[in-house]
Amino acid sequence: MKTKNERLGEILSLAPVIPVLQFDDTETAVNTSRALVAGGLPIIEITLRTPAALDCIRAVCKQVEGAVVGAGTVLTPALMRDSIEMGAKFMVSPGASLDLLEANQKNDIPLLPGVATPSEAMGLMAEEFEYLKFFPAEPAGGADYLKALAPVLQGLKFCPTGGLSADNAMDYLTLDNVVCVGGSWVAPKAMIINGDWDGISELASNAAQLA
Ligand code: 3PG
């Protein structure tokens, strides 16, 4: 049986970019996710910031072939349990509370917890995490900051999110301690509202070719 770190590493290595998205209804979630998968981005993080989020995770897991769906903004053990019940294959949190880490030890679905400082990262290294989200990447110091962590936090790999775009994603993807990046730019709100699925597939295809 593979470890959680191994499974998370495999998921995060499937594509250079993870779309990080929030949806108000399942139909939009399914259509957007189909467009992203068609463009070459199979890993999709659906954030738990809307009342429909859990239903959206379940719908995309069931209806979108090839999608590997994660739950984002998992702030509590209850949300962790609900996400797993809906079929999430990984979970992402902006930080790591003691409650969340304790709940994480009791299940088998990998967690990608967020950090913004060396002390936070060291705390999670001690808990044997190998993959961390760097959040909020741009406001916290950007690619230069993350680069400076590489020699002192050896063995850790990061997925930076927060403020990334097609313009700066490569600044991160070229760093040795970055496994992939996350962001909402591959499925802009306006394109989702207009049902511009071809446009989203094209943005996804461009993002899939980064790195
Ligand atoms: C988020 O906070 O929703 C993610 O980190 C994505 O951020 P972005 O919208 O700046 O890409």
Side-chain angles (χ1 to χ4, degrees), residues 18-22 45 47 49 73 92 94 133-139 160-165 182-186:
I18 300 180
V20 181
L21 304 168
Q22 65 183 59
E45 177 186 334
T47 61
R49 297 185 213 163
T73 324
V92 186
K133 162 172 158 141
F134 172 46
F135 177 81
E138 282 291 296
T161 65
L164 271 71
S165 68
S184 60
W185 87 88
V186 285

Side-chain angles (χ1 to χ4, degrees), residues 116-152:
T117 68
S119 293
E120 292 164 354
M122 285 166 64
L124 291 170
M125 268 176 113
E127 299 282 334
E128 299 186 350
F129 283 86
E130 292 175 12
Y131 297 94
L132 302 175
K133 162 172 158 141
F134 172 46
F135 177 81
E138 282 291 296
D144 284 347
Y145 180 104
L146 195 52
K147 185 178 182 182
L149 297 185
V152 291

Side-chain angles (χ1 to χ4, degrees), residues 30-68:
V30 166
N31 286 332
T32 306
S33 301
R34 281 203 179 113
L36 290 164
V37 173
L41 297 182
I43 319 298
I44 294 166
E45 177 186 334
I46 298 179
T47 61
L48 302 181
R49 297 185 213 163
T50 62
L54 288 166
D55 285 339
C56 290
I57 290 174
R58 180 169 49 193
V60 176
C61 286
K62 283 195 174 156
Q63 296 176 42
V64 183
E65 208 184 320
V68 179

Side-chain angles (χ1 to χ4, degrees), residues 43-188:
I43 319 298
I44 294 166
E45 177 186 334
I46 298 179
T47 61
L48 302 181
R49 297 185 213 163
T50 62
L54 288 166
D55 285 339
C56 290
I57 290 174
R58 180 169 49 193
V60 176
C61 286
K62 283 195 174 156
Q63 296 176 42
V64 183
E65 208 184 320
V68 179
V69 184
T73 324
V74 177
L75 299 181
T76 64
L79 288 174
M80 185 171 259
R81 185 200 58 221
D82 292 346
S83 305
I84 294 171
E85 268 176 31
M86 294 299 145
K89 296 291 181 294
F90 65 102
M91 291 173 289
V92 186
S93 56
S97 67
L98 290 177
D99 276 0
L100 201 66
L101 292 177
E102 200 179 300
N104 177 56
Q105 283 175 355
K106 295 183 189 144
N107 68 60
D108 217 28
I109 302 296
L111 172 70
L112 179 71
V115 299
T117 68
S119 293
E120 292 164 354
M122 285 166 64
L124 291 170
M125 268 176 113
E127 299 282 334
E128 299 186 350
F129 283 86
E130 292 175 12
Y131 297 94
L132 302 175
K133 162 172 158 141
F134 172 46
F135 177 81
E138 282 291 296
D144 284 347
Y145 180 104
L146 195 52
K147 185 178 182 182
L149 297 185
V152 291
L153 298 175
Q154 293 178 11
L156 283 182
K157 296 271 187 201
F158 294 88
C159 170
T161 65
L164 271 71
S165 68
D167 293 334
N168 62 9
M170 279 308 287
D171 297 346
Y172 293 90
L173 285 166
T174 47
L175 301 180
D176 288 341
N177 59 347
V178 167
V179 58
C180 63
V181 302
S184 60
W185 87 88
V186 285

